[in-house]
Every structure is written in structure tokens, then in C-alpha cells.
Amino acid sequence: MTLLLLLAVLDGLAYAALVFMVAVGLTLVFGVLRVLNVAHGSFFAIGGYVAATLGGAVATTAAAPWLALPVLLVSAILVGGLLGPVVEKLLLSRIYVKDHVLQLLVTFALFMILEDVQKLIWGVQPIFQDAAVKALGPVEVGDIVYTRYQLFLLPAVAATTLLGLMWFLRRTLTGRVIVAVTQDREAATAMGIDAARVYMLTFTFGTMLAALGGALASPTSSLVPGAGVNMIVLSFAVVATAGLGQIEGAALTALLIGLGRSVAVYFAPEFEVVIPYLIMVAVLLVRPYGLFGSPELRRV
């Protein structure tokens, strides 16, 4: 019983870290651009596919095994840097002032297109590449043999991302510019801030975070068509439970949902799928704006 509970906690922390990486990108984009981007899940999946492809290429060469680790970050940068500016410039910039329903429909259409693109490029067979996990090796936690990748790397990356975002938005000039645009785009523009550039940079960074989540997930789970669907739905649950635009709240909510799901896997597997959404419904019934939200959106 004790070992099962410990294993559930370890799995929950690792899973929460992955969910947070995607959810924080989603809430960052919404906090600044005011767009609920359904296609965010596709960026997660593409990041995973690119990481698995590059990781496989590294694994088949004589390169050092540890090179599989920086490949994960490189994959996220490639996906975010290539897709982010293109999608923002050609698509999202045209719907910023449109109704949220239209924004959802447009980004959902993009999601469906990107799903087909994934099938055209990588096919429909599962893809798995665990070179990064093997590079770090296993570790014993009590009587449990666990991977260093899930125990140390995933939580460390998530914590670094959270602290880095908090510092960047509150302590740097660029971060304060982003907050200014979030609060009042017209006033910020009148002061000489290039709001369009802020939007593009924010969306690109949010795309990188989603792709990094996929890249980090690729060494521990097989990539199959539809991988982005599960993650975007779960990310929406995290964002809604925390409150739209809440970065710190997204971290705590991802932890709550990750642990809840993991405990269900070991002790009540029939509830695994519904636990995150039961948590969301329970919170929204009491606090319709989320655990950390308010009737008015706060700044990022």
C-alpha cells in the first residue's frame, strides 16, 4: 500500500510537470492575446514527433548518449520558431477582435489540419524513442526503481519554467511591456510599444512551451495520432480550474490534477479518465472563475 502510494505520487509529479508545460503556454497566450487556441494541442504533438525523430537520429549515430537531452529543447525551439510566427501572422492576427466563438472555430480548424499533417509526415504507427531516459538511467527510491528522467528532469524543467516566467514578467523591461499590452493595448501603443510584435513573440513562446511539453513526453510515452487531443482537453481543464490567465494557479492546478489522476490509476483505475474533470467541475461549481480567478481577468 505504501509503495503504491509512493509510486502514485512520483508518477503524479512527473505527469503534472508535463501538463503544466502545455497549460502554462495556453494560459500565457490567452492572457496576452485573448485567444483560446485549440491548436495548442497540435504543437504539443508535433514537438513530440520532432523530438522522437531527432532523438532517433542521435541514437543511431556514435554521438554521446547525453546528446538526446538537448535534442528535446532544440525540437521545441524549432517547432515554436517555425510554426509560431507563421500561425500568428497569417491566421491569429486576423481574428484578435473577433468573437471568441469564431476564434475557437478557426483554431479548431487549424488543429484538424495539423492533425492530418502529422499523419502525412509520420504516419499512423506509434513512434517511441527513449534515448533521453536511457541517458540518465534509473534510480532507487526506497524499494522502487524509478527513472531519473521522470524523478528529477521533468519537475526541474517545470519549476524552472514557472520561476523563469514569474521573474521575466515582473522583473524585466520586456516582461513589463507584455503586461502593459495585456492591460491596455491602445494605451501601450500610444506610448510607442509595438503591440503586434509583442503578440507575435508571446504566441511564439507559448508555442515553444507546448512543443517542449511534447518533446519531454516523447521519451516516456508512444506518440500516436490524436496525442494532441488528450493534452489540449486536459490543459483546458487545468486552465479553467485555475482561472484564465493565472500562471502560478496553472502550476498548482496541474499538480492537483496530476496527483489526482495518478492516485486514481493505482487505486481506482475506472476513474482515471474522469478524475481531472471531476476536480474541474467541483471547483467551478464553487468558484465559477476558477481557484485563483476573479470576475475581471488579472494581468499575466
Side-chain angles (χ1 to χ4, degrees):
M1 181 70 174
T2 303
L3 288 179
L4 280 180
L5 184 59
L6 176 59
L7 192 55
V9 170
L10 295 178
D11 284 353
L13 290 174
Y15 189 73
L18 292 175
V19 173
F20 168 72
M21 295 301 298
V22 183
V24 74
L26 184 66
T27 199
L28 179 65
V29 168
F30 180 83
V32 178
L33 279 65
R34 298 293 194 269
V35 173
L36 283 171
N37 179 27
V38 179
H40 202 71
S42 292
F43 303 142
F44 165 85
I46 293 174
Y49 275 116
V50 172
T53 302
L54 295 181
V58 170
T60 57
T61 65
W66 61 265
L67 286 179
L69 297 173
V71 160
L72 303 177
L73 179 60
V74 170
S75 301
I77 294 174
L78 285 175
V79 173
L82 293 176
L83 287 181
V86 173
V87 171
E88 194 280 333
K89 186 67 174 179
L90 298 183
L91 185 62
L92 294 188
S93 62
R94 304 173 186 273
I95 60 173
Y96 286 143
V97 297
K98 304 297 183 181
D99 187 82
H100 285 311
V101 175
L102 179 61
Q103 293 175 354
L104 285 172
L105 290 174
V106 170
T107 57
F108 179 72
L110 176 62
F111 172 81
M112 297 301 293
I113 292 171
L114 292 177
E115 284 292 301
D116 286 337
V117 169
Q118 294 166 45
K119 294 176 184 176
L120 287 173
I121 297 176
W122 289 284
V124 297
Q125 297 300 316
I127 295 178
F128 180 66
Q129 175 52 247
D130 62 348
V133 173
K134 291 179 178 178
L136 291 179
V139 62
E140 287 191 11
V141 181
D143 293 327
I144 298 174
V145 178
Y146 211 70
T147 65
R148 287 188 174 89
Y149 182 87
Q150 291 173 288
L151 184 62
F152 299 119
L153 184 64
L154 294 184
V157 172
T160 301
T161 300
L162 173 61
L163 295 176
L165 274 175
M166 293 170 60
W167 173 81
F168 173 75
L169 291 172
R170 296 171 183 174
R171 301 294 181 182
T172 67
L173 177 60
T174 303
R176 291 173 180 174
V177 166
I178 292 175
V179 171
V181 173
T182 302
Q183 292 287 346
D184 192 329
R185 176 174 178 171
E186 291 184 2
T189 302
M191 295 173 62
I193 296 175
D194 188 349
R197 183 170 180 269
V198 170
Y199 278 20
M200 185 187 71
L201 291 176
T202 302
F203 185 79
T204 299
F205 185 63
T207 302
M208 286 183 183
L209 288 175
L212 182 57
L216 292 172
S218 63
T220 60
S221 58
S222 296
L223 292 160
V224 296
V229 177
N230 295 330
M231 186 54 72
I232 190 58
V233 173
L234 194 58
S235 296
F236 270 121
V238 170
V239 171
T241 305
L244 294 172
Q246 300 287 332
I247 291 177
E248 299 94 325
L252 293 176
T253 306
L255 184 61
L256 176 64
I257 288 178
L259 289 174
R261 173 189 173 276
S262 184
V263 169
V265 167
Y266 285 95
F267 296 99
E270 63 273 16
F271 294 107
E272 172 198 352
V273 176
V274 300
I275 281 293
Y277 311 110
L278 288 178
I279 294 174
M280 178 184 71
V281 171
V283 169
L284 294 182
L285 285 175
V286 179
R287 292 185 58 86
Y289 300 101
L291 282 174
F292 305 91
S294 60
E296 294 183 0
L297 288 174
R298 54 154 256 179
R299 67 184 183 182
V300 175

